[in-house]
Amino acid sequence: MRYGHFDEANNEYVIERVDLPTSWTNYLGVEDMCAVVNHTAGGYLFYKSPEYHRITRFRGNAIPMDRPGDYIYIRDNEDGDYFSISWQPVGKPLDQAKYTTRHGMSVTTYECEYKGLKASEKLSIPIGDNALIWDVVITNQSDKERDLSVFSYAEFSYHHVPIDNQNFQMSLYCAGSEYKEGTILYDLFYEEEGYQYFTSNFEPDGFECLRDEFIGIYNTETNPKAVERGSLTGSFEKGGNHCASLQKNLRLKPDESVRLIYFLGEGGYEEARAIKEKYNTPEKLDEAYSALKKFWQDKQRCFAVKSPEKGVDVMINTWTLYQAEINVMFSRFASFIEVGGRTGLGYRDTAQDAMTVIASNPKGCRKRIIELLRALTSSGYGIHLFEPRWFLPEEEKEKKKKPFKSPTVIPEPEGASKVHGLADACSDDALWLVPSIVEYVKETGDFEFLSKEYGYADGGTGSVYEHMKKIVLFSLKEVGDNGICKGLRADWNDCLNLGGGESALVSFLLFRALICLEETATYTGDLAFAKELSEKIADLKKSLNDTLWDGDWYLRGFTKSGRKIGTKDNKEGQIHLESNAWAVLSGAADEDKAKRALDSIHYKLATPYGIMLNAPVYTEPDDEVGFVTRVYPGLKENGSIFSHPNPWVWSAECRMGNGERAFEYYKSLCPYYQNDSIEKRWAEPYSYCQFISGKDHTTYGRAHHPFMTGSGGWAYFAMTHYMLGIRPGFDELVVDPCIPKSWDGFEVSRVFRDATYNISVINSEHVEKGVKKIYIDGREASKIPVFAGGEEHAVDIVMGLKGEER
Ligand code: GLC
């Protein structure tokens, strides 16, 4: 069953049937302000922090689902009937009203046609402004004049979400509202400069600042008292619960339209005045839309593919790029699942995200990398969850610090308590950062970055290069009885809690980090260190293959008492995806073992919806293995199709030359291909979800937790770097595709260090992998060099077997 379609020309997903089984999400804003919105205008707005600077309130995990939001009610004053432009909250029967929702890149539009009226509400946050704009157009399509009242509604939140949910004796008495000259002011009295405004481009006919006056305490957003009555009372108060409702009365002649623009923003009367002034004509707002469009087009231009598969083109050029970028922008804590109870950055997630979109967002990725460098301890492990602000150098901190301490000030742990000890360290966290740094340098050519100095979380400073060394030295040192890296609190799998037990995955990640560091040392001329590293790499390769090979696949690790995890001798959790994917992808696996390990994944873990994390599922708690054994079978880390590591397998398959299988896996997980089976998937078909229920669960095939997941970034990275095979080198652009045999080739336009490479891959021999010839501007070449910024070159790649391989 389908609920909508991809509109490729407009980079939108169009939802035609709005009674979806769950919220389909979009993100508005590309800088400091962000709105998380769903298909029925439910959602919330925040500035910088979803936890500490929440602007609108949200009732998570409640019924009716995902309310309140940014609502416009239109009331026909002749008969008192009213509807909302988004299907919810009024929820007119779908056979009486026609609703459409368009989620685009940083823009969402709700449309409705009801009883001769056509209305749309377009939400966006323009670049350079800290305001959510509601752009409303109402057209009278009937043949009689209409007497209408239009009401806006948003519910303000106390900035500090934990207090807003726990401590009403505070939140109810220190936030107030007032109205002056068309603007509603929400005042967070305990905060200096704590104001939000709501205003419009018209002279309102009424206002309501008190939520309970608007809704009525025995009503809901579906049937607000004020809209039923058709008028607002002009309420405001110091203390209480506040909302933003402006009323506009209109008479619309047949075919007449009106455009009403609302602004919900950061700041007080002055900011409200300024934004009204800035957008005092609809054309100026249209310019803001063009700027947002250009913002995304510039990113899309960095890697634009035309392949034989529409699903690849639509996802890579638009949606997966978008998802990966959103993760870098807003981290993981703003969604309909994480509703603002946490804030900051998770070390491992951010380190991986920051590797995935460096081509389209070098500045944003660099910023994240620096935040992670500063959150590294001098012993070489990362602070698992942190606020970047904690580790800013004192001078920068001072600039940001507000002189005023309010009870809602963001709690900041003192000194040493920000830095957790080894027992709380996750053994994989910092290992993800090393390849991300190297990828950053390769993509940008910013070699100087390696010698830039940054502080450590617990004091002292070191260059980026030294930070990288500390990371690998930590993992080389923290090994268990079998010589494999310790698991500590967890590795990538949050629920595998091995403590002093050992994690094969982490050893393979260490192997990959060592290779990245060795490559960097060699390239930058640190040859003695490079030699030392290559010896270590060779030793490690041997010992990992000796210690971790189980016959048909690699182990997942050892418990503290020395029991094997992920062996054929286990009854449950015999085989795990992570260690096997990384054994191959890191390059550590011996060739024959690599092939067998991938075959084992195929036969034991692959499903039509993607690859399961482990099998058979755990049913018996085993605390030496960890929390994974206490998770319901088929959900989350216990045998679900956990999306994030799926692209690791695609990439590993590409490393081994299996383009057919990599692509088969790509298609099985890729949401695009599930557009027509939403009765099973539930979630949106334009974003990857954190996990899909596995075989052992009654909801097998259902996708959970969209957008904020490492699978967006990794799917993008695996497709662009391994399957299409276009990746940066220190002094070249590498094109080494691994594709299905049936493909005749594909084209990619790629911006690399400010030059444009128009790449055309020809696969007339129908191989899966192998580059036979490279032509640059028609001339044969042995590699693709770095061209000067601004240049444009044609790169033709001929795939096929070289003479000796035939
Ligand atoms: C969640 C976490 C991520 C972790 C994964 C597996 O997605 O955000 O850090 O690696 O679960 O446990």
Side-chain angles (χ1 to χ4, degrees), residues 127 129 137 165 251 302 424 481 518 596:
I127 295 170
D129 292 311
V137 179
N165 284 305
R251 294 194 81 86
C302 296
D424 282 322
D481 296 343
E518 190 263 346
R596 282 205 30 201

Side-chain angles (χ1 to χ4, degrees), residues 332 348-349 492-494 637 642 690:
R332 292 290 160 79
R348 82 161 72 89
D349 291 345
W492 172 87
N493 188 329
D494 274 331
E637 283 87 345
F642 214 98
Q690 188 199 60

Side-chain angles (χ1 to χ4, degrees), residues 173-444:
Y173 307 108
C174 53
S177 53
E178 58 180 58
Y179 174 86
K180 202 163 74 187
E181 292 162 9
T183 297
I184 286 174
L185 185 78
Y186 178 52
D187 174 11
L188 292 125
F189 192 58
Y190 282 5
E191 289 178 37
E192 204 174 37
E193 306 300 329
Y195 296 108
Q196 311 295 158
Y197 64 80
F198 187 80
T199 193
S200 65
N201 72 336
F202 54 83
E203 190 66 42
D205 296 305
F207 70 91
E208 204 82 83
C209 298
L210 292 180
R211 177 194 69 181
D212 301 353
E213 278 302 324
F214 183 84
I215 302 274
I217 57 168
Y218 295 108
N219 294 39
T220 70
E221 294 95 355
T222 300
N223 58 348
K225 207 169 74 174
V227 182
E228 297 241 297
R229 189 177 55 227
S231 63
L232 301 180
T233 67
S235 64
F236 60 92
E237 203 166 281
K238 290 186 165 54
N241 283 299
H242 306 271
C243 72
S245 184
L246 296 178
Q247 176 174 359
K248 182 71 191 160
N249 300 328
L250 302 166
R251 294 194 81 86
L252 279 188
K253 296 203 174 59
D255 290 330
E256 201 184 345
S257 283
V258 63
R259 189 168 175 187
L260 306 174
I261 300 169
Y262 301 83
F263 307 91
L264 172 55
E266 178 64 18
Y269 287 124
E270 207 175 296
E271 285 78 8
R273 237 189 328 269
I275 199 125
K276 277 206 269 197
E277 183 57 35
K278 181 165 179 188
Y279 296 106
N280 60 6
T281 64
E283 292 70 39
K284 291 198 184 151
L285 186 52
D286 293 337
E287 278 168 29
Y289 294 140
S290 304
L292 263 179
K293 198 165 166 186
K294 183 170 180 305
F295 174 88
W296 285 109
Q297 279 171 343
D298 286 348
K299 291 183 181 295
Q300 292 176 296
R301 236 194 303 279
C302 296
F303 194 107
V305 56
K306 213 162 130 219
S307 80
E309 270 292 330
K310 209 159 138 197
V312 170
D313 299 0
V314 171
M315 294 305 282
I316 294 301
N317 295 337
T318 303
W319 291 102
T320 310
L321 166 72
Y322 185 57
Q323 183 174 4
E325 286 269 2
I326 297 282
N327 275 272
V328 172
M329 280 176 203
F330 301 118
S331 179
R332 292 290 160 79
F333 303 125
S335 67
F336 289 113
I337 307 301
E338 295 253 12
V339 292
R342 296 201 287 169
T343 203
L345 300 178
Y347 206 100
R348 82 161 72 89
D349 291 345
T350 308
Q352 290 170 83
D353 292 345
M355 176 191 72
T356 60
V357 283
I358 301 171
S360 55
N361 189 3
K363 272 201 197 131
C365 293
R366 180 189 161 105
K367 175 171 172 269
R368 289 295 187 225
I369 289 173
I370 293 171
E371 287 164 347
L372 293 162
L373 287 164
R374 287 177 170 150
L376 186 79
T377 60
S378 56
S379 21
Y381 64 88
I383 302 303
H384 188 63
L385 180 61
F386 66 97
E387 266 287 352
R389 206 172 19 83
W390 295 349
F391 303 119
L392 280 176
E394 283 311 312
E395 328 80 76
E396 282 185 46
K397 235 185 194 168
E398 279 311 311
K399 264 191 274 162
K400 297 205 167 183
K401 207 190 269 171
K402 292 205 170 156
F404 172 82
K405 269 234 171 208
S406 88
T408 60
V409 95
I410 304 170
E412 183 161 327
E414 291 291 324
S417 64
K418 294 175 205 156
V419 178
H420 59 66
L422 194 59
D424 282 322
C426 289
S427 51
D428 65 318
D429 272 347
L431 285 172
W432 297 105
L433 186 59
V434 176
S436 299
I437 293 168
V438 176
E439 179 72 16
Y440 170 78
V441 173
K442 286 180 174 174
E443 181 64 48
T444 58

